[in-house]
Amino acid sequence: MHTLRKNRPLRRIVLASAATVSGMVLLLSLKPHTTPAVAGLAASPAPSSSSSTSGTAGGSTGSTGSGGSSGSSGSTTGSRTLTGDSVQTRYGPVQVRVTLTDGKITDVTAVAYPQENPRDQQINAYAVPQLTREALSAQSADIDTVSGATYTSDGYRRSLQSALDSANG
């Protein structure tokens, strides 16, 4: 009767541990499908930034120039539109355009942000408006990071700061 009842708890523990470790290794080795595209962008940031600035934000470059000239004629009064630097993040570039009226931030627009896949679109659909509200209420680039959009928040903050720095300098 003893041979019919095979109770081997140690064998079960070893098998369960091996299955858990194997599952964790597989889970941790999973990579997002956009990594090769991001690596391609990171390998050539200068041409990508130039083409996106002239292609996507061609009008913004022109308005930045005209905004800069109107800003020169009246440095603290009037309305100026400034475009911040294009900041390369892990998932793509982030660039912000700021409108200053009498030295106050009246409008912030995200000119470029990651939109390569549905997940990027989902994240930035709620992150970009929240970052815009934060910037308008803070009247500076000292804004909170949006949970779940850390890289976009960091790029947004750095681009906004560069636009504000160009307004002051």
Side-chain angles (χ1 to χ4, degrees), residues 3-65:
T3 58
L4 294 177
R5 279 185 25 182
K6 295 183 179 178
N7 229 0
R8 296 183 180 157
L10 187 58
R11 176 182 263 176
R12 288 184 196 160
I13 291 171
V14 170
L15 287 174
S17 298
T20 302
V21 168
S22 298
M24 290 300 292
V25 167
L26 288 173
L27 183 65
L28 293 175
S29 68
L30 181 68
K31 301 271 191 274
H33 68 279
T34 59
T35 303
V38 172
L41 288 175
S44 60
S48 173
S49 297
S50 305
S51 63
S52 72
T53 302
S54 60
T56 329
S60 71
T61 306
S63 70
T64 303

Side-chain angles (χ1 to χ4, degrees), residues 85-160:
D85 295 337
S86 178
V87 178
Q88 186 66 35
T89 67
R90 180 176 179 177
Y91 298 103
V94 177
Q95 189 173 26
V96 175
R97 182 183 306 133
V98 182
T99 302
L100 299 171
T101 305
D102 297 328
K104 296 182 85 176
I105 299 174
T106 56
D107 186 36
V108 182
T109 306
V111 177
Y113 52 91
Q115 303 180 60
E116 293 298 316
N117 59 50
R119 181 70 176 141
D120 289 343
Q121 295 168 3
Q122 178 186 14
I123 289 171
N124 291 320
Y126 72 86
V128 171
Q130 188 170 344
L131 290 165
T132 301
R133 283 191 301 272
E134 289 266 340
L136 289 172
S137 66
Q139 289 293 306
S140 72
D142 185 25
I143 56 177
D144 291 334
T145 299
V146 175
S147 178
T150 305
Y151 293 105
T152 301
S153 298
D154 183 47
Y156 192 98
R157 188 179 310 112
R158 288 171 37 199
S159 182
L160 178 60

